[in-house]
Short mmCIF file of all heavy atoms in Angstrom, two decimals:
data_model
loop_
_atom_site.label_atom_id
_atom_site.label_comp_id
_atom_site.label_asym_id
_atom_site.label_seq_id
_atom_site.Cartn_x
_atom_site.Cartn_y
_atom_site.Cartn_z
N ARG T 1 14.79 0.02 -16.31
CA ARG T 1 13.58 -0.45 -15.67
C ARG T 1 13.53 -1.97 -15.65
O ARG T 1 13.26 -2.59 -14.61
CB ARG T 1 12.34 0.13 -16.38
CG ARG T 1 11.01 -0.56 -16.07
CD ARG T 1 10.56 -0.33 -14.64
NE ARG T 1 10.07 0.99 -14.41
CZ ARG T 1 9.68 1.44 -13.22
NH1 ARG T 1 9.78 0.68 -12.18
NH2 ARG T 1 9.25 2.68 -13.05
N THR T 2 13.80 -2.60 -16.79
CA THR T 2 13.73 -4.09 -16.87
C THR T 2 14.66 -4.74 -15.92
O THR T 2 14.29 -5.66 -15.16
CB THR T 2 14.08 -4.50 -18.33
OG1 THR T 2 13.06 -4.02 -19.19
CG2 THR T 2 14.11 -6.02 -18.43
N HIS T 3 15.93 -4.29 -15.89
CA HIS T 3 16.93 -5.02 -15.10
C HIS T 3 16.83 -4.67 -13.61
O HIS T 3 17.15 -5.53 -12.75
CB HIS T 3 18.30 -4.80 -15.66
CG HIS T 3 18.47 -5.38 -17.04
ND1 HIS T 3 18.55 -6.72 -17.26
CD2 HIS T 3 18.46 -4.79 -18.26
CE1 HIS T 3 18.66 -6.95 -18.54
NE2 HIS T 3 18.59 -5.82 -19.18
N LEU T 4 16.41 -3.46 -13.25
CA LEU T 4 16.21 -3.15 -11.85
C LEU T 4 14.97 -3.86 -11.30
O LEU T 4 14.92 -4.28 -10.15
CB LEU T 4 16.13 -1.64 -11.60
CG LEU T 4 17.44 -0.89 -11.59
CD1 LEU T 4 17.22 0.59 -11.42
CD2 LEU T 4 18.34 -1.40 -10.48
N ASP T 5 13.96 -4.02 -12.13
CA ASP T 5 12.78 -4.77 -11.74
C ASP T 5 13.10 -6.23 -11.47
O ASP T 5 12.49 -6.91 -10.63
CB ASP T 5 11.64 -4.68 -12.78
CG ASP T 5 10.88 -3.36 -12.71
OD1 ASP T 5 11.07 -2.58 -11.76
OD2 ASP T 5 10.04 -3.14 -13.62
N ARG T 6 14.08 -6.75 -12.18
CA ARG T 6 14.47 -8.16 -12.00
C ARG T 6 15.31 -8.40 -10.75
O ARG T 6 15.56 -9.52 -10.36
CB ARG T 6 15.22 -8.64 -13.24
CG ARG T 6 14.37 -9.00 -14.44
CD ARG T 6 15.17 -9.69 -15.50
NE ARG T 6 14.44 -9.75 -16.77
CZ ARG T 6 14.98 -9.65 -17.95
NH1 ARG T 6 16.30 -9.48 -18.05
NH2 ARG T 6 14.27 -9.71 -19.03
N CYS T 7 15.76 -7.30 -10.16
CA CYS T 7 16.60 -7.44 -8.95
C CYS T 7 15.72 -7.80 -7.78
O CYS T 7 14.70 -7.19 -7.50
CB CYS T 7 17.34 -6.12 -8.66
SG CYS T 7 18.26 -6.13 -7.10
N LEU T 8 16.13 -8.81 -7.03
CA LEU T 8 15.40 -9.30 -5.86
C LEU T 8 15.56 -8.42 -4.63
O LEU T 8 14.83 -8.55 -3.65
CB LEU T 8 15.85 -10.72 -5.50
CG LEU T 8 15.55 -11.84 -6.52
CD1 LEU T 8 16.74 -12.79 -6.59
CD2 LEU T 8 14.29 -12.54 -6.20
N THR T 9 16.60 -7.58 -4.64
CA THR T 9 17.03 -6.82 -3.46
C THR T 9 17.35 -7.79 -2.33
O THR T 9 17.04 -7.50 -1.17
CB THR T 9 15.99 -5.77 -3.02
OG1 THR T 9 15.40 -5.20 -4.19
CG2 THR T 9 16.66 -4.67 -2.24
N CYS T 10 17.92 -8.93 -2.67
CA CYS T 10 18.29 -9.91 -1.63
C CYS T 10 19.50 -9.48 -0.84
O CYS T 10 19.73 -9.93 0.29
CB CYS T 10 18.51 -11.30 -2.27
SG CYS T 10 20.01 -11.37 -3.28
N ARG T 11 20.36 -8.60 -1.46
CA ARG T 11 21.53 -8.05 -0.84
C ARG T 11 22.63 -9.06 -0.53
O ARG T 11 23.53 -8.81 0.27
CB ARG T 11 21.13 -7.24 0.40
CG ARG T 11 20.25 -6.02 0.07
CD ARG T 11 19.65 -5.36 1.25
NE ARG T 11 20.63 -4.80 2.18
CZ ARG T 11 20.30 -4.12 3.27
NH1 ARG T 11 19.04 -3.92 3.56
NH2 ARG T 11 21.24 -3.62 4.05
N ALA T 12 22.57 -10.22 -1.21
CA ALA T 12 23.69 -11.13 -1.10
C ALA T 12 24.96 -10.53 -1.58
O ALA T 12 26.06 -10.84 -1.10
CB ALA T 12 23.36 -12.41 -1.90
N CYS T 13 24.88 -9.60 -2.54
CA CYS T 13 26.04 -8.92 -3.05
C CYS T 13 26.72 -8.11 -1.95
O CYS T 13 27.94 -7.95 -1.95
CB CYS T 13 25.64 -8.02 -4.22
SG CYS T 13 24.27 -6.88 -3.87
N GLU T 14 25.95 -7.60 -1.01
CA GLU T 14 26.51 -6.76 0.05
C GLU T 14 27.39 -7.56 1.01
O GLU T 14 28.41 -7.10 1.47
CB GLU T 14 25.40 -6.05 0.82
CG GLU T 14 24.73 -4.95 0.06
CD GLU T 14 23.82 -4.10 0.94
OE1 GLU T 14 23.93 -4.22 2.21
OE2 GLU T 14 23.00 -3.33 0.39
N THR T 15 26.93 -8.80 1.29
CA THR T 15 27.73 -9.62 2.21
C THR T 15 28.92 -10.29 1.52
O THR T 15 29.73 -10.91 2.15
CB THR T 15 26.84 -10.69 2.88
OG1 THR T 15 26.11 -11.38 1.90
CG2 THR T 15 25.87 -10.09 3.86
N THR T 16 28.99 -10.11 0.19
CA THR T 16 30.11 -10.64 -0.60
C THR T 16 31.13 -9.56 -0.91
O THR T 16 32.31 -9.81 -0.98
CB THR T 16 29.56 -11.26 -1.91
OG1 THR T 16 28.62 -12.27 -1.63
CG2 THR T 16 30.70 -11.83 -2.75
N CYS T 17 30.63 -8.33 -1.13
CA CYS T 17 31.48 -7.24 -1.65
C CYS T 17 32.64 -6.90 -0.71
O CYS T 17 32.45 -6.57 0.45
CB CYS T 17 30.61 -5.99 -1.81
SG CYS T 17 31.55 -4.55 -2.42
N PRO T 18 33.88 -6.98 -1.23
CA PRO T 18 35.03 -6.65 -0.37
C PRO T 18 35.20 -5.14 -0.14
O PRO T 18 35.96 -4.75 0.75
CB PRO T 18 36.24 -7.17 -1.19
CG PRO T 18 35.76 -7.12 -2.63
CD PRO T 18 34.30 -7.39 -2.57
N SER T 19 34.47 -4.31 -0.89
CA SER T 19 34.60 -2.86 -0.76
C SER T 19 33.50 -2.27 0.06
O SER T 19 33.45 -1.04 0.26
CB SER T 19 34.62 -2.21 -2.14
OG SER T 19 35.69 -2.69 -2.90
N GLY T 20 32.50 -3.08 0.47
CA GLY T 20 31.38 -2.58 1.28
C GLY T 20 30.41 -1.69 0.56
O GLY T 20 29.84 -0.77 1.15
N VAL T 21 30.18 -1.97 -0.73
CA VAL T 21 29.25 -1.20 -1.52
C VAL T 21 27.85 -1.38 -0.94
O VAL T 21 27.38 -2.50 -0.82
CB VAL T 21 29.27 -1.58 -3.02
CG1 VAL T 21 28.19 -0.80 -3.80
CG2 VAL T 21 30.67 -1.29 -3.59
N ARG T 22 27.14 -0.27 -0.66
CA ARG T 22 25.78 -0.33 -0.14
C ARG T 22 24.81 -0.44 -1.29
O ARG T 22 24.09 0.51 -1.63
CB ARG T 22 25.51 0.89 0.72
CG ARG T 22 26.36 1.03 1.97
CD ARG T 22 26.06 -0.07 2.98
NE ARG T 22 24.67 0.03 3.46
CZ ARG T 22 24.31 0.73 4.51
NH1 ARG T 22 25.19 1.44 5.22
NH2 ARG T 22 23.04 0.80 4.84
N TYR T 23 24.77 -1.62 -1.91
CA TYR T 23 24.00 -1.81 -3.11
C TYR T 23 22.48 -1.58 -2.85
O TYR T 23 21.80 -1.00 -3.68
CB TYR T 23 24.23 -3.18 -3.71
CG TYR T 23 23.28 -3.47 -4.88
CD1 TYR T 23 23.57 -3.02 -6.13
CD2 TYR T 23 22.08 -4.17 -4.65
CE1 TYR T 23 22.68 -3.27 -7.18
CE2 TYR T 23 21.19 -4.42 -5.70
CZ TYR T 23 21.50 -3.94 -6.97
OH TYR T 23 20.64 -4.14 -7.99
N GLY T 24 21.96 -2.11 -1.76
CA GLY T 24 20.56 -1.98 -1.46
C GLY T 24 20.11 -0.53 -1.40
O GLY T 24 19.04 -0.17 -1.96
N GLU T 25 20.91 0.30 -0.79
CA GLU T 25 20.61 1.74 -0.71
C GLU T 25 20.67 2.40 -2.11
O GLU T 25 19.83 3.20 -2.42
CB GLU T 25 21.58 2.41 0.25
CG GLU T 25 21.21 3.81 0.64
CD GLU T 25 22.18 4.43 1.65
OE1 GLU T 25 22.94 3.67 2.28
OE2 GLU T 25 22.15 5.65 1.78
N LEU T 26 21.66 1.97 -2.90
CA LEU T 26 21.78 2.51 -4.23
C LEU T 26 20.61 2.08 -5.11
O LEU T 26 20.08 2.86 -5.92
CB LEU T 26 23.10 2.02 -4.87
CG LEU T 26 23.47 2.63 -6.24
CD1 LEU T 26 23.69 4.13 -6.14
CD2 LEU T 26 24.72 1.92 -6.82
N ALA T 27 20.15 0.86 -4.94
CA ALA T 27 19.00 0.37 -5.69
C ALA T 27 17.75 1.15 -5.34
O ALA T 27 16.92 1.46 -6.20
CB ALA T 27 18.74 -1.10 -5.43
N GLU T 28 17.60 1.52 -4.05
CA GLU T 28 16.48 2.39 -3.66
C GLU T 28 16.52 3.71 -4.44
O GLU T 28 15.46 4.18 -4.94
CB GLU T 28 16.55 2.71 -2.15
CG GLU T 28 16.23 1.52 -1.24
CD GLU T 28 16.55 1.88 0.22
OE1 GLU T 28 16.81 3.06 0.51
OE2 GLU T 28 16.60 0.95 1.05
N ILE T 29 17.67 4.29 -4.55
CA ILE T 29 17.80 5.57 -5.24
C ILE T 29 17.48 5.39 -6.72
O ILE T 29 16.76 6.18 -7.33
CB ILE T 29 19.24 6.16 -5.06
CG1 ILE T 29 19.46 6.50 -3.59
CG2 ILE T 29 19.48 7.36 -5.98
CD1 ILE T 29 20.90 6.89 -3.27
N GLY T 30 18.02 4.32 -7.33
CA GLY T 30 17.78 4.09 -8.74
C GLY T 30 16.31 3.88 -9.03
O GLY T 30 15.76 4.40 -10.00
N ARG T 31 15.61 3.14 -8.17
CA ARG T 31 14.19 2.89 -8.38
C ARG T 31 13.39 4.16 -8.18
O ARG T 31 12.36 4.40 -8.85
CB ARG T 31 13.71 1.79 -7.45
CG ARG T 31 14.22 0.41 -7.93
CD ARG T 31 14.00 -0.64 -6.86
NE ARG T 31 14.23 -1.98 -7.41
CZ ARG T 31 14.64 -3.02 -6.70
NH1 ARG T 31 14.80 -2.87 -5.38
NH2 ARG T 31 14.82 -4.20 -7.26
N GLU T 32 13.81 4.98 -7.21
CA GLU T 32 13.11 6.23 -6.99
C GLU T 32 13.20 7.13 -8.22
O GLU T 32 12.23 7.74 -8.65
CB GLU T 32 13.70 6.93 -5.76
CG GLU T 32 13.00 8.23 -5.43
CD GLU T 32 13.64 8.93 -4.21
OE1 GLU T 32 14.82 8.67 -3.92
OE2 GLU T 32 12.93 9.71 -3.56
N VAL T 33 14.42 7.22 -8.81
CA VAL T 33 14.60 8.03 -10.00
C VAL T 33 13.76 7.51 -11.17
O VAL T 33 13.11 8.27 -11.89
CB VAL T 33 16.11 8.08 -10.40
CG1 VAL T 33 16.29 8.74 -11.76
CG2 VAL T 33 16.92 8.79 -9.35
N LEU T 34 13.77 6.16 -11.32
CA LEU T 34 12.96 5.57 -12.40
C LEU T 34 11.47 5.89 -12.19
O LEU T 34 10.76 6.22 -13.15
CB LEU T 34 13.13 4.05 -12.36
CG LEU T 34 14.29 3.46 -13.16
CD1 LEU T 34 14.42 1.97 -12.90
CD2 LEU T 34 14.16 3.73 -14.67
N GLU T 35 10.99 5.76 -10.99
CA GLU T 35 9.58 5.98 -10.74
C GLU T 35 9.21 7.44 -10.94
O GLU T 35 8.09 7.73 -11.36
CB GLU T 35 9.21 5.52 -9.31
CG GLU T 35 7.76 5.30 -9.05
CD GLU T 35 7.13 4.25 -9.94
OE1 GLU T 35 7.87 3.35 -10.47
OE2 GLU T 35 5.89 4.27 -10.12
N GLU T 36 10.07 8.36 -10.63
CA GLU T 36 9.84 9.76 -10.87
C GLU T 36 9.75 10.10 -12.37
O GLU T 36 8.89 10.83 -12.81
CB GLU T 36 10.90 10.63 -10.23
CG GLU T 36 10.85 10.68 -8.71
CD GLU T 36 12.04 11.41 -8.12
OE1 GLU T 36 12.95 11.80 -8.87
OE2 GLU T 36 12.05 11.54 -6.89
N GLN T 37 10.68 9.50 -13.14
CA GLN T 37 10.80 9.85 -14.54
C GLN T 37 10.03 8.93 -15.47
O GLN T 37 9.61 9.37 -16.55
CB GLN T 37 12.29 9.87 -14.95
CG GLN T 37 13.11 10.90 -14.20
CD GLN T 37 14.54 10.94 -14.71
OE1 GLN T 37 14.85 10.39 -15.75
NE2 GLN T 37 15.39 11.63 -13.96
N ARG T 38 9.89 7.68 -15.09
CA ARG T 38 9.23 6.72 -15.94
C ARG T 38 8.34 5.80 -15.07
O ARG T 38 8.66 4.63 -14.84
CB ARG T 38 10.27 5.87 -16.68
CG ARG T 38 9.79 5.06 -17.84
CD ARG T 38 10.91 4.21 -18.44
NE ARG T 38 10.48 3.46 -19.58
CZ ARG T 38 10.67 3.87 -20.82
NH1 ARG T 38 11.26 5.03 -21.08
NH2 ARG T 38 10.24 3.14 -21.86
N PRO T 39 7.24 6.35 -14.54
CA PRO T 39 6.40 5.58 -13.59
C PRO T 39 5.95 4.23 -14.14
O PRO T 39 5.61 4.13 -15.33
CB PRO T 39 5.23 6.49 -13.34
CG PRO T 39 5.70 7.88 -13.71
CD PRO T 39 6.68 7.65 -14.82
N SER T 40 5.95 3.24 -13.30
CA SER T 40 5.50 1.91 -13.75
C SER T 40 4.03 1.92 -14.05
O SER T 40 3.20 2.52 -13.30
CB SER T 40 5.78 0.85 -12.62
OG SER T 40 5.20 -0.39 -12.95
N ARG T 41 3.65 1.26 -15.13
CA ARG T 41 2.22 1.13 -15.53
C ARG T 41 1.77 -0.31 -15.33
O ARG T 41 0.73 -0.71 -15.84
CB ARG T 41 2.01 1.58 -16.95
CG ARG T 41 2.28 3.07 -17.16
CD ARG T 41 1.79 3.53 -18.49
NE ARG T 41 1.96 4.95 -18.62
CZ ARG T 41 2.81 5.50 -19.49
NH1 ARG T 41 3.50 4.75 -20.30
NH2 ARG T 41 2.91 6.84 -19.60
N ASN T 42 2.57 -1.13 -14.64
CA ASN T 42 2.21 -2.53 -14.39
C ASN T 42 0.98 -2.57 -13.48
O ASN T 42 1.00 -2.13 -12.33
CB ASN T 42 3.39 -3.25 -13.74
CG ASN T 42 3.14 -4.70 -13.55
OD1 ASN T 42 2.22 -5.11 -12.82
ND2 ASN T 42 3.95 -5.57 -14.16
N LEU T 43 -0.13 -3.08 -14.00
CA LEU T 43 -1.39 -3.08 -13.28
C LEU T 43 -1.28 -3.87 -11.97
O LEU T 43 -1.80 -3.42 -10.93
CB LEU T 43 -2.51 -3.60 -14.15
CG LEU T 43 -3.91 -3.66 -13.49
CD1 LEU T 43 -4.33 -2.27 -13.03
CD2 LEU T 43 -4.95 -4.26 -14.47
#
């Protein structure tokens, strides 16, 4: 939760990655799983 919350989702990694990893899409999935299992209580 801490380190995914710190991600800007700027996707600079995507335009750098030589393997074409779809990091932004993967981050969406990771955040969805986190929110389902450990919902944010940040007011």
Side-chain angles (χ1 to χ4, degrees):
R1 164 68 73 184
T2 295
H3 295 287
L4 280 178
D5 280 354
R6 283 190 191 144
C7 175
L8 295 142
T9 322
C10 69
R11 296 169 64 178
C13 53
E14 289 191 12
T15 50
T16 303
C17 178
S19 301
V21 176
R22 296 292 298 269
Y23 173 82
E25 192 176 343
L26 187 64
E28 289 171 12
I29 294 171
R31 286 169 169 153
E32 182 181 24
V33 171
L34 274 174
E35 197 61 21
E36 288 174 357
Q37 298 185 12
R38 195 184 183 96
S40 172
R41 294 193 176 113
N42 184 299
L43 179 59

